[in-house]
Amino acid sequence: EVQVVESGGGLVQPGGSLRLSCAASGFTFRSYDMHWVRQAPGKGLEWVSAIGIGGDKYFADSVKGRFSVSRENAKNSLSLEMNSLRVGDTAVYYCVRLAAAGYFDLWGRGTLVTVSS
Amino acid sequence: SYVLTQPPSVSVAPGNTARLTCGGNNIGSKSVHWFQQQPGQAPVVVIYYDDDRPSGIPERFSGSNSGNTATLTISRVETGDEADYYCQVWDTSSHHMVFGGGTKLTVL
C-alpha cells in the first residue's frame, strides 16, 4: 500500500525540542520531493518545510532557524527536527508527498504536537 | 511573500453550483491546486494545474484561473461536498508553498 505514516508527536514545553518522523512505503521514496504541512487546531493549512530529491531544503519564515529537515532514502524515512518550540507551533503535522505533476498527492494522517507549559 | 485570499465561507443549496474563489497577485501566471478537507481527515486534491481532475474526483468539480482570481466550481452540489477547501500555489520567488486561508463550504 502506498502510504506515509507520521510519528513522534506529543506534549512539549515551550523552548523544548521534538523530532518527527515519517515512514514511507509502497513507492520509490528517493524519487519524490517531500514536504511537511501543519494545521493548528481549528485553523487552516500552513506549509512548513520541504526537502528535494537532491537534498535541497526550504523552510517557512515562521520556522526558519528553528526547524531542520532531513531524509534517509535507504530507510524510506523523512524527519523534522523542531527546536525552540513555541505555543504557536501547536498543530497537527502532516508528511506530504509532492507528485511529479507538482501537487501534493499523498498525505499522512498527521501527528499532533502540543506546545504548552 | 505571496498571499492567497479565500472567502471564509460559502453557502449553497443542494443541486446548485458553488463557486469558490482564490485571489492572488497575477495568480493566472501560476499553477493552482485545490484541496478538499473533511472534518478530522487529511486534505485530498480535487483539482490540480488549474483545471485538471485526479482520477476518482467527480466531473462536478472543475477549475479555472485567470488574472488575479482562480475559481473552483462545484456543480450539482451534494451534502457530501460540505468541507473546507484550500487553494495552493508554489511561489517560485521564495521557494515556498503557499496555501489560501481556506473556505468552509456549507450545503444548506
Side-chain angles (χ1 to χ4, degrees):
Chain A
E1 181 184 1
V2 175
Q3 63 177 356
V4 290
V5 179
E6 305 90 340
S7 61
L11 174 63
V12 61
Q13 292 189 339
S17 299
L18 207 58
R19 183 182 182 91
L20 305 184
S21 297
C22 170
S25 58
F27 64 98
T28 306
F29 177 74
R30 65 178 181 272
S31 297
Y32 290 87
D33 294 350
M34 298 296 297
H35 293 243
W36 289 96
V37 174
R38 69 184 181 184
Q39 187 169 34
K43 302 298 184 182
L45 302 172
E46 180 188 14
W47 175 78
V48 174
S49 179
I51 183 167
I53 58 176
D56 45 320
K57 304 175 183 181
Y58 305 100
F59 298 93
D61 292 345
S62 58
V63 306
K64 192 175 296 183
R66 300 188 298 121
F67 289 13
S68 62
V69 63
S70 61
R71 64 189 299 162
E72 194 167 354
N73 290 335
K75 295 185 176 182
N76 295 329
S77 176
L78 175 72
S79 296
L80 184 69
E81 185 76 34
M82 305 184 295
N83 298 313
S84 303
L85 282 163
R86 305 167 180 169
V87 171
D89 295 318
T90 294
V92 172
Y93 285 73
Y94 293 101
C95 171
V96 192
R97 185 180 78 173
L98 187 70
Y103 63 95
F104 292 142
D105 71 333
L106 181 65
W107 297 66
R109 290 190 168 188
T111 186
L112 176 62
V113 172
T114 302
V115 184
S116 174
S117 54
Chain B
S1 60
Y2 195 75
V3 176
L4 294 175
T5 301
Q6 298 183 249
S9 62
V10 169
S11 298
V12 63
N16 285 0
T17 297
R19 293 179 178 86
L20 283 62
T21 60
C22 176
N25 184 33
N26 197 26
I27 195 174
S29 67
K30 301 181 182 297
S31 294
V32 180
H33 315 304
W34 289 91
F35 297 88
Q36 177 194 71
Q37 187 179 32
Q38 301 283 3
Q41 298 186 20
V44 173
V45 63
V46 293
I47 291 290
Y48 66 97
Y49 275 159
D50 298 340
D51 57 6
D52 284 335
R53 199 173 46 251
S55 60
I57 300 300
E59 292 183 5
R60 301 184 296 104
F61 287 80
S62 62
S64 63
N65 184 19
S66 178
N68 293 319
T69 304
T71 303
L72 172 68
T73 301
I74 309 172
S75 304
R76 302 181 300 283
V77 168
E78 303 175 356
T79 55
D81 298 331
E82 191 163 280
D84 294 323
Y85 291 83
Y86 297 90
C87 57
Q88 177 246 310
V89 301
W90 171 252
D91 180 22
T92 54
S93 63
S94 63
H95 296 283
H96 287 181
M97 284 291 191
V98 179
F99 286 99
T103 295
K104 180 176 182 59
L105 177 66
T106 299
V107 181
L108 301 170

